[in-house]
Amino acid sequence: MQRTQVRNRRTRTWPTSSTHAAAIVCLLASCSIVETALAQWPQWGGPRRDFSCQATDLADRWPADGPHKVWSREIGGGHSAIIVDGATLYTMCRRENQDAVLAIDTNTGRTIWETRYDAPTKPDMQLDFGCGPHATPLLAGDRLFTIGAMVQFRCLDKKTGKTLWSHDLIDEMGASHLGRGYGASPIAYKDLVIINIGSRDTGIAAFKQDTGEMAWKSGPFRGGYPSPVLTTINGEDHLIIALAGARAALDPATGEVRWKVTVDRQSAGIMCTPLWIAPDKVFFSAAYGGGSRLFKITAKDGQYTADELWHCRKMKIMHGTAARVGDVVFGSSGDFGPTFLSAVNLETGKILWRKRGFGKANLLYADGKFIILDEKGELALAKADAEGIEVLSQAKVLEQRSWTVPTLVGPRLYLRDYQTIMALDLSEAANRPSAAAAPSPLSSGQEVTR
Amino acid sequence: MSHSHVLRIALVFGLVPWIAPTATAGDDVPARSIAGQTLQVPEEQLDLGEVYHVVPGPGTQLAWTHDAPLVRVLAICNRAVGYFVTPFDIEPDKSPVLAGALRIPVASLKTGRQQYDGEFHGPRALNAGEYPEITLRLQETRNAKLTADKDGRRSFTLDAVGELTVRDKTIRVSFPLQVQLVPFTWQTMRVDIGDLLIVRGEISVKTADLGFDTTASNKDFLAETATLDLCLMCSTVSPENNLDPAIKDEHSREQMRFFTLLRDFNDPEKGYKVGRAYMRTIWDDAQALNRLAQATLTEEDIQTRDLAFILRAARRANELTEFKDAALLCTLAHVQSERGDPEAALKWARAAEGLLEGAPQHVAAEVRGALARYEERCKHNQDGPLPSKP
């Protein structure tokens, strides 16, 4: 990230000498490679799958019409998030009866390749919110793994979009499309890629990345929208899963259950990705009466147990993200009714504050700030802690069903709604004001609603 | 009850001038939203805790009763709107209600007999034309007692003090309240979505304080006290929150505004003015036009249904879809039937039946049921007088 700043400064003081210029071009080229290696966003939730990333020098204030727009273009329907690998981003969208995987130039927004395949909807689906795709591609090496709403699981060559192998998991394994379309994003573990199945006899399954051959399958778990996360507890790897009937962890190498907690029907409608709280706790949040729960994982005699430390009904994250800073978890809480940006104390499970004014939102944490995108397309930058939240800048940048969590690589933010995908530059340099954003009605000091 | 009793009740309401107001009626009660189905909760109250909106409709029950020796007037309303605010963290020894307000459209208080309603709402009684709402504002609650706490549901009793404004008269009222907080579950969703709050209470007022004639000549016809019996279903989800992704929020709000005026306030003049303006904004949206026509045709408690208005919306919806949508044709058939033209109804219902391939089961059943009714009516039309409306 520091190298990004170097590049910006040099750009502003571009030398006149062609020799110097050539040298700096070389330097910039090498910087770019280093930056790419450090900054890519290879999967759902970012490098650590926790919706936080390294970034510096994000501008606190944006021009009135929002941060500097690098490009914007139409894209088909879908809520699949964006992953970034150097100068290419990948995402998915819907084209009539087909799913499409797109590779797009991050600098221009132009399509590099697009791979489509037939993915007809099923008669037992509820599609009033569209038919996805909901899951986010995963990049592992040169392979791109994708899953559409109808649970067609594919491995593509990231450079060409050529399909290397595929599985129709409804046909092959009876995977669940969950009514509104499959939504959990795949995760890589060593040479495996692991996904939710939710069939009658298989909860989770792992496939070999190179051949697509199944490596293991777990026992039965009902399906679920939350994407699994990986962590290490007591020196052993845990794949943490949140499914309709259970919160659990599996051995990602074998699929054996390490620990499991059964949950009630109210907690079954979970969509939020679990949040690992090192060294030994996991945060889960569900809307529809489920609320949030914190579990402590304990290892004893080679066995693991999960004990509920608290349950907070008031923190109910629906399909947004949870982000943690220190002892506080932040999220957008609400389901059918009003939604509040909320903070919950990890020690006590008590709500610390709530803020009105945003619709259901996704949060990212970077550079000591939160990037907030709500479903109405309001993008905001805010500072938040246990005491409250201060919105620094806010602008409406998207229009409809902005349910996709943005992606931040360096200072560049990639975001989409159901129609449009765009890249914004959040850097101080790009937003240095000729016209700084006027304080919005939501940004006047610490508007904290308890 | 005899006609003379009706007249007598009219006299009870009409003979005595209303007492001068002690305060400007309902000034402190927050205004309705533009759509009219919620109140605009003041900022400072929003920050107190959770806001529960009164849900108008079948779950809301509010009864006005005065029970005199020779007559009992019982008026029911299910179109009250309002809200209650509870603390964010409910504690057993603290009041579970911090603020609240209600607006009750006078025109929606129904006695079950139109003649009574006319008098009850008329200028000599509650005077809905000039004072279209009864309002209630909570000022204070005290003596809260937790009476039940099981499965996340908590019940309290408490004493409430508030201001009741009827016509231009505002009086202070004290009354017991029972509240039950019911967190959302898949079971409670059958009643309403969101976390629920059920508020029950009974407010007794002296009829004399409200300006009714309590002289000896009316004793047999007017009780000394009238009661306002509340059983309000409230939800954290506003009734204006449109959860159907197929319906644009602004369409939902405008249609709601139209129905608030037409149904809740029984004000067809203002209502249809809003309705016509709304129809212009959705003139190229077949589904929105159909929803408007269908709802205006079927919504309960609308006293004045402008069939020309409904026909215009239904016809345009079908023009836009080139008469090829079974559900829209069914609406057109329905409005023609209501207009007394069963042949036209039959024609459009048959057209709808011809388009049922692939239609959802409930649409097919509805179309076929309607078709059978219109066929029956046409048959009777040819044979003799029409039977009464279905």
Side-chain angles (χ1 to χ4, degrees):
Chain A
M1 292 303 135
Q2 287 175 336
R3 288 170 194 272
T4 305
Q5 292 176 48
V6 169
R7 183 172 60 178
N8 286 338
R9 278 202 296 275
R10 300 244 172 144
T11 303
R12 290 197 296 275
T13 56
W14 198 256
T16 51
S17 153
S18 59
T19 311
H20 285 170
I24 288 168
V25 165
C26 291
L27 176 63
L28 287 175
S30 64
C31 288
S32 169
I33 292 162
V34 173
E35 181 188 331
T36 297
L38 288 174
Q40 68 173 214
W41 188 284
Q43 60 174 340
W44 167 252
R48 293 184 298 272
R49 220 168 166 91
D50 63 354
F51 306 97
S52 73
C53 64
Q54 296 288 323
T56 54
D57 205 24
L58 299 185
D60 279 352
R61 303 284 171 195
W62 301 335
D65 56 351
H68 173 69
K69 188 181 289 181
V70 182
W71 53 263
S72 171
R73 56 166 278 194
E74 293 286 302
I75 191 170
H79 305 295
S80 179
I82 298 158
I83 64 169
V84 177
D85 179 30
T88 308
L89 69 80
Y90 304 91
T91 190
M92 293 181 75
C93 71
R94 189 75 180 157
R95 307 234 187 264
E96 295 178 348
N97 255 348
Q98 293 187 313
D99 283 343
V101 184
L102 287 88
I104 292 173
D105 186 321
T106 57
N107 292 312
T108 63
R110 281 199 292 267
T111 299
I112 298 168
W113 54 255
E114 177 172 329
T115 297
R116 299 185 194 187
Y117 55 89
D118 290 341
T121 57
K122 307 293 179 185
D124 58 343
M125 296 181 86
Q126 298 100 51
L127 299 172
D128 39 352
F129 290 104
C131 52
H134 306 301
T136 299
L138 164 73
L139 192 64
D142 287 336
R143 299 187 186 94
L144 190 68
F145 300 93
T146 65
I147 314 181
M150 275 59 73
V151 210
Q152 296 207 24
F153 180 33
R154 298 200 155 220
C155 174
L156 283 69
D157 181 313
K158 77 171 187 181
K159 290 192 177 69
T160 63
K162 182 186 170 192
T163 299
L164 303 176
W165 52 258
S166 68
H167 291 287
D168 184 327
L169 292 174
I170 291 182
D171 283 355
E172 294 174 28
M173 296 182 74
S176 172
H177 56 59
L178 299 166
R180 296 193 183 278
Y182 184 94
S185 302
I187 189 166
Y189 177 73
K190 297 182 178 173
D191 62 344
L192 303 179
V193 55
I194 305 174
I195 60 170
N196 294 4
I197 300 291
S199 73
R200 209 171 274 273
D201 60 0
T202 306
I204 307 286
F207 297 82
K208 290 185 177 172
Q209 291 180 8
D210 54 355
T211 63
E213 181 189 349
M214 187 190 296
W216 56 256
K217 60 180 187 176
S218 75
F221 288 102
R222 288 172 61 200
Y225 282 100
S227 303
V229 296
L230 276 164
T231 192
T232 303
I233 306 173
N234 196 36
E236 295 188 295
D237 294 333
H238 288 226
L239 178 81
I240 299 173
I241 54 175
L243 302 168
R247 312 291 178 255
L250 309 182
D251 178 344
T254 64
E256 284 177 24
V257 175
R258 292 206 187 276
W259 53 266
K260 179 182 169 186
V261 178
T262 304
V263 296
D264 61 16
R265 284 185 69 217
Q266 288 312 130
S267 300
I270 189 167
M271 286 179 262
C272 178
T273 300
L275 201 56
W276 169 241
I277 314 290
D280 57 2
K281 298 185 184 74
V282 197
F283 171 88
F284 296 98
S285 192
Y288 310 124
S292 296
R293 296 170 196 270
L294 187 72
F295 291 95
K296 179 180 169 69
I297 314 304
T298 309
K300 192 178 177 186
D301 302 331
Q303 301 290 312
Y304 290 90
T305 55
D307 298 303
E308 185 177 302
L309 297 181
W310 51 255
H311 175 212
C312 173
R313 279 198 70 254
K314 301 277 186 178
M315 183 66 157
K316 43 186 181 182
I317 301 174
M318 194 177 173
H319 48 63
T321 59
R324 174 224 181 182
V325 181
D327 286 340
V328 183
V329 169
F330 302 85
S332 172
S333 175
D335 36 45
F336 302 112
T339 309
F340 301 88
L341 287 178
S342 304
V344 64
N345 184 323
L346 274 173
E347 289 292 316
T348 63
K350 296 284 184 192
I351 297 284
L352 294 164
W353 51 259
R354 303 195 305 172
K355 176 178 174 55
R356 284 178 277 117
F358 287 97
K360 290 185 191 75
N362 280 295
L363 276 66
L364 276 186
Y365 183 72
D367 193 21
K369 297 156 200 162
F370 284 94
I371 295 162
I372 301 162
L373 178 65
D374 83 3
E375 62 183 344
K376 295 175 284 187
E378 289 284 340
L379 181 70
L381 191 75
K383 283 189 173 171
D385 56 23
E387 302 301 315
I389 181 167
E390 180 188 6
V391 176
L392 303 170
S393 273
Q394 185 176 349
K396 185 168 174 64
V397 297
L398 290 168
E399 289 300 325
Q400 60 159 342
R401 269 192 265 158
S402 304
W403 288 348
T404 303
V405 62
T407 294
L408 186 71
V409 177
R412 192 173 292 180
L413 190 73
Y414 302 95
L415 58 170
R416 67 177 287 187
D417 63 9
Y418 210 70
Q419 276 191 331
T420 306
I421 184 168
M422 65 173 62
L424 304 175
D425 189 338
L426 302 190
S427 69
E428 184 71 42
N431 294 282
R432 189 154 293 147
S434 45
S440 78
L442 291 169
S443 64
S444 52
Q446 299 246 326
E447 286 187 38
V448 174
T449 306
R450 176 60 166 57
Chain B
M1 191 171 286
S2 72
H3 189 64
S4 61
H5 278 161
V6 176
L7 290 176
R8 193 67 192 245
I9 291 163
L11 289 172
V12 166
F13 288 126
L15 282 176
V16 174
W18 292 84
I19 295 168
T22 55
T24 309
D27 258 3
D28 294 329
V29 175
R32 284 176 182 257
S33 62
I34 290 173
Q37 294 299 301
T38 59
L39 300 189
Q40 295 173 21
V41 185
E43 286 282 318
E44 66 274 15
Q45 292 186 3
L46 282 174
D47 291 346
L48 293 175
E50 300 285 4
V51 176
Y52 290 80
H53 299 275
V54 173
V55 182
T60 298
Q61 294 178 354
L62 185 149
W64 168 292
T65 314
H66 60 254
D67 199 359
L70 295 186
V71 64
R72 184 174 195 232
V73 171
L74 174 62
I76 303 285
C77 164
N78 63 8
R79 301 304 324 173
V81 303
Y83 67 91
F84 294 90
V85 182
T86 70
F88 190 72
D89 293 313
I90 302 281
E91 295 178 43
D93 54 343
K94 290 190 178 165
S95 177
V97 178
L98 302 174
L102 272 184
R103 285 185 176 270
I104 306 160
V106 171
S108 69
L109 278 160
K110 302 278 176 59
T111 64
R113 290 191 67 176
Q114 279 193 337
Q115 284 172 303
Y116 282 16
D117 289 347
E119 290 300 333
F120 196 41
H121 305 157
R124 294 192 300 170
L126 293 176
N127 196 359
E130 198 165 341
Y131 305 102
E133 292 176 297
I134 293 169
T135 63
L136 175 67
R137 182 173 71 94
L138 278 190
Q139 291 175 305
E140 190 185 347
T141 57
R142 53 194 172 212
N143 301 328
K145 279 186 196 157
L146 179 69
T147 57
D149 187 352
K150 195 179 175 191
D151 300 332
R153 297 183 178 195
R154 279 173 285 186
S155 300
F156 288 82
T157 58
L158 60 152
D159 298 325
V161 177
E163 278 186 344
L164 177 71
T165 300
V166 179
R167 229 170 88 145
D168 56 354
K169 172 70 174 156
T170 298
I171 58 172
R172 188 176 167 85
V173 289
S174 300
F175 53 100
L177 272 184
Q178 298 162 47
V179 299
Q180 188 182 20
L181 293 124
V182 181
F184 171 85
T185 67
W186 301 116
Q187 282 74 38
T188 63
M189 193 174 177
R190 293 178 196 162
V191 179
D192 217 316
I193 51 173
D195 294 338
L196 303 180
L197 174 77
I198 297 98
V199 177
R200 291 180 169 86
E202 189 174 282
I203 303 171
S204 291
V205 290
K206 287 193 161 67
T207 47
D209 289 349
L210 294 176
F212 291 98
D213 178 6
T214 54
T215 56
S217 61
N218 276 317
K219 261 189 176 169
D220 282 344
F221 300 94
L222 181 70
E224 285 183 5
T225 58
T227 58
L228 195 58
D229 187 9
L230 308 173
C231 177
L232 303 165
M233 176 67 63
C234 313
S235 169
T236 48
V237 181
S238 157
E240 296 185 2
N241 193 352
N242 167 37
L243 297 172
D244 186 341
I247 302 175
K248 289 181 183 172
D249 286 345
E250 59 269 29
H251 289 178
S252 171
R253 277 193 295 271
E254 277 306 292
Q255 182 158 314
M256 215 175 268
R257 187 174 168 219
F258 167 53
F259 284 118
T260 301
L261 290 164
L262 187 62
R263 175 197 54 207
D264 300 5
F265 287 92
N266 188 28
D267 190 339
E269 189 183 333
K270 283 185 192 161
Y272 282 111
K273 189 176 175 188
V274 167
R276 282 190 293 274
Y278 172 51
M279 199 193 299
R280 282 194 291 276
T281 67
I282 56 171
W283 193 240
D284 293 323
D285 185 335
Q287 296 303 326
L289 286 163
N290 184 59
R291 280 193 296 273
L292 177 64
Q294 178 75 8
T296 314
L297 203 52
T298 58
E299 182 73 23
E300 282 183 20
D301 294 330
I302 292 177
Q303 293 182 31
T304 309
R305 295 192 206 275
D306 182 340
L307 294 173
F309 172 89
I310 300 167
L311 180 62
R312 194 158 177 249
R315 184 176 285 153
R316 173 68 179 166
N318 279 283
E319 285 168 1
L320 289 169
T321 50
E322 297 174 335
F323 298 85
K324 285 178 183 166
D325 185 314
L328 273 57
L329 284 164
C330 197
T331 306
L332 185 56
H334 190 173
V335 66
Q336 293 291 18
S337 172
E338 290 297 314
R339 291 177 71 245
D341 190 345
E343 284 78 15
L346 189 59
K347 173 185 156 190
W348 295 123
R350 281 181 177 151
E353 194 196 26
L355 294 166
L356 285 181
E357 192 181 327
Q361 211 167 1
H362 70 277
V363 174
E366 193 180 328
V367 169
R368 291 192 177 114
L371 180 59
R373 284 197 303 277
Y374 305 144
E375 280 172 343
E376 185 70 9
R377 292 191 70 190
C378 282
K379 185 167 167 281
H380 280 280
N381 213 10
Q382 287 160 2
D383 295 346
L386 285 171
S388 58
K389 279 182 186 174

